[in-house]
Amino acid sequence: MDRSILDLPFYGPEHRQLSDAIFDWASTAMPHVDHHDTDNACRQLVAALGKAGFLRYAVPAAYGGALAELDSRSLCIARETLAYHDGLADFAFAMQGLGTGAITLSGSEEIKRHVLPKVAAGEWISAFALTEPLAGSDVGAMSCEARLEGDHYVINGEKTWISNGGIADVYCLFARTGEAPGTRGISAFVVYPDMPGFEVAERLDTIAPHPLARLRFTDMKVPVANRLGAPGEGFKVAMRTLDIFRASVAAAALGFARRALDEALNHARQRPMFGHTLADFQLTQAKLGDMATDIEAAALLTARAAWRRDVQKLPTTREAAMAKMTATENAQRVIDAAVQIHGGQGVRIGVMVESLYREIRALRIYEGATEVQKLIVARELLK
Ligand SMILES: Cc1cc2nc3c(=O)[nH]c(=O)nc-3n(C[C@H](O)[C@H](O)[C@H](O)COP(=O)(O)OP(=O)(O)OC[C@H]3O[C@@H](n4cnc5c(N)ncnc54)[C@H](O)[C@@H]3O)c2cc1C
């Protein structure tokens, strides 16, 4: 895996050290899990990542984390490296941060102390529950309702496409509290799967298996103390959480793309053809040139977004959107080219580029589809 981008001034020596440590761990010590048994595979990976200390990058130091504040560049390095080795390992890592981001940003001291150390240690699995069957890109159409009754809220409604749904120990849930219409009437809550009224309505299978579920809440009582942030501020909490993690989706796409390029290079060098190797032909070389350039362009946008947040402490809405859409779209092209270079082997089940081809697809959809990222960039330009 080409890690030369770490020599650029976007990164410090601590990032190179983290990259070395996680690359070494993923190459030699990461458990080989049965991907068909997705729930157990995910549990095993979370436990192993916790034991190895890497989940400490998903929470702040005061609650068992590695650094005083979440560092976007470290999250990106971890995700890129894990995605290069195993998409499910990247997923297991990413969700520990995304699932608790709202707690880190807006949770009470008591909730932070209760949840974050267990998530950092890999003892608990976390989830982020925003999307609904009729409210995906259009978050403001959310209908899951939280009604205030004395010292608790009563929650009714559904969430879908929830990563870690069905196996998570803690969920950050967003529901309509009605202070104002649209996105201004939503609040965030921390909820637990043993709360009466919490139900896993359906498990969802996808082309690249990850634990996913549709959840249903029926008269679920949630103490007011479980609210994250002020009433009506939930959309802001969700967007601030996604802003931190959006660049890391780009990084995961980069990990998949870098692996595809390495697989393509190996195959092209070895495949005998017409008395030469596949790599000797200029049509192949042009593909490889395009693939490498697509990857580096995306890597630079990703590094900029993460660095701007970490070092300049500036909003990264525009930069992270550019990075996410470019990295995921470029990775799809790179992986498709790698499949093509592999010929029939490229579509054979179990061959690395075949699994990358399935893994990359959802990244162009979740945490804001490409079309939504374009609109975000345009909105920032037109402000
Ligand atoms: C594998 C996976 C994991 C996920 N994990 C989670 C999770 O953990 N938590 C969670 O809350 N959600 C999760 N999601 C949900 C994800 O965020 C949504 O799928 C995504 O926001 C899109 O919503 P949707 O599926 O309802 O599609 P829709 O919103 O129906 O979008 C359909 C299409 O319309 C396009 N579109 C949107 N706006 C416009 C527009 N203005 N003009 C033209 N076209 C537009 C979209 O880009 C998309 O191509 C996950 C999804 C997947 C696939």
Side-chain angles (χ1 to χ4, degrees):
M1 180 171 134
D2 184 347
R3 291 186 286 148
S4 57
I5 193 164
L6 294 171
D7 298 332
L8 296 184
F10 290 120
Y11 298 97
E14 69 281 16
H15 296 113
R16 168 64 77 174
Q17 276 164 21
L18 172 63
S19 172
D20 288 346
I22 199 157
F23 194 89
D24 185 47
W25 180 82
S27 312
T28 60
M30 187 162 76
H32 292 283
V33 293
D34 175 5
H35 285 75
H36 295 104
D37 184 0
T38 316
D39 288 0
N40 272 330
C42 198
R43 284 193 188 98
Q44 276 174 266
L45 287 166
V46 168
L49 282 161
K51 204 166 159 214
F54 297 122
L55 295 180
R56 292 171 58 238
Y57 287 90
V59 311
Y63 310 97
L67 304 168
E69 289 175 17
L70 294 182
D71 180 67
S72 281
R73 291 164 298 169
S74 300
L75 294 168
C76 286
I77 287 166
R79 288 200 65 179
E80 182 174 343
T81 313
L82 292 169
Y84 182 88
H85 289 91
D86 182 346
L88 197 58
D90 162 56
F91 170 91
F93 173 86
M95 284 314 302
Q96 294 298 89
L98 183 64
T100 54
I103 296 176
T104 298
L105 291 172
S106 304
S108 66
E109 196 55 27
E110 194 186 339
I111 291 173
K112 287 182 187 171
R113 287 191 191 289
H114 183 55
V115 175
L116 298 181
K118 297 187 193 76
V119 168
E123 291 161 12
W124 272 16
I125 292 178
S126 70
F128 175 87
L130 180 70
T131 305
E132 297 182 5
L134 294 179
S137 308
D138 183 6
V139 179
M142 177 180 295
S143 66
C144 180
E145 177 204 46
R147 201 176 59 249
L148 186 60
E149 284 187 6
D151 61 356
H152 60 262
Y153 285 89
V154 179
I155 300 189
N156 281 289
E158 282 196 358
K159 294 285 164 186
T160 194
W161 296 116
I162 306 310
S163 298
N164 283 336
I167 67 165
D169 301 284
V170 58
Y171 293 77
C172 285
L173 170 67
F174 298 84
R176 180 162 297 289
T177 38
E179 291 75 12
T183 54
R184 283 173 294 128
I186 293 168
S187 300
F189 301 90
V190 59
V191 305
Y192 304 99
D194 60 359
M195 287 177 157
F198 183 111
E199 180 194 347
V200 177
E202 183 186 13
R203 295 301 302 270
L204 307 171
D205 296 327
T206 49
I207 53 174
H210 300 130
L212 276 169
R214 179 164 59 88
L215 308 172
R216 184 179 299 131
F217 314 103
T218 312
D219 293 331
M220 182 172 74
K221 283 171 93 171
V222 175
V224 169
N226 285 29
R227 201 186 57 230
L228 303 168
E233 296 284 301
F235 180 73
K236 278 191 198 154
V237 173
M239 291 307 116
R240 282 174 65 208
T241 307
L242 291 174
D243 262 0
I244 298 175
F245 290 94
R246 196 162 274 145
S248 79
V249 182
L254 277 171
F256 293 140
R258 289 196 193 281
R259 183 61 181 262
L261 177 58
D262 287 353
E263 297 289 325
L265 284 168
N266 279 340
H267 185 79
R269 283 190 183 111
Q270 285 166 19
R271 174 70 175 161
M273 203 178 280
F274 304 113
H276 299 271
T277 67
L278 181 55
D280 291 328
F281 298 104
Q282 286 188 330
L283 277 173
T284 313
Q285 292 164 13
K287 270 202 189 76
L288 295 170
D290 281 342
M291 291 160 82
T293 307
D294 267 353
I295 290 173
E296 294 312 322
L300 286 166
L301 280 176
T302 307
R304 178 185 67 162
W307 172 83
R308 183 175 155 94
R309 183 187 171 276
D310 294 342
V311 178
Q312 292 191 307
K313 312 277 183 208
L314 289 171
T316 57
T317 306
R318 184 182 72 129
E319 289 74 14
M322 286 178 171
K324 200 245 174 197
M325 77 176 183
T326 305
T328 54
E329 295 292 331
N330 289 9
Q332 182 85 61
R333 266 203 308 278
V334 168
I335 293 167
D336 189 59
V339 169
Q340 196 71 8
I341 285 173
H342 276 71
Q345 282 293 337
V347 290
R348 189 168 173 199
I349 290 171
V351 170
M352 177 53 79
V353 292
E354 176 272 334
S355 89
L356 293 169
Y357 192 76
R358 289 182 288 105
E359 286 284 355
I360 188 59
R361 193 61 187 85
L363 276 67
R364 292 168 57 206
I365 296 171
Y366 69 57
E367 288 187 40
T370 296
E371 291 76 5
V372 173
Q373 304 306 331
K374 287 183 186 179
L375 296 178
I376 291 173
V377 173
R379 199 177 57 215
E380 294 291 312
L381 290 173
L382 293 167
K383 256 183 185 171

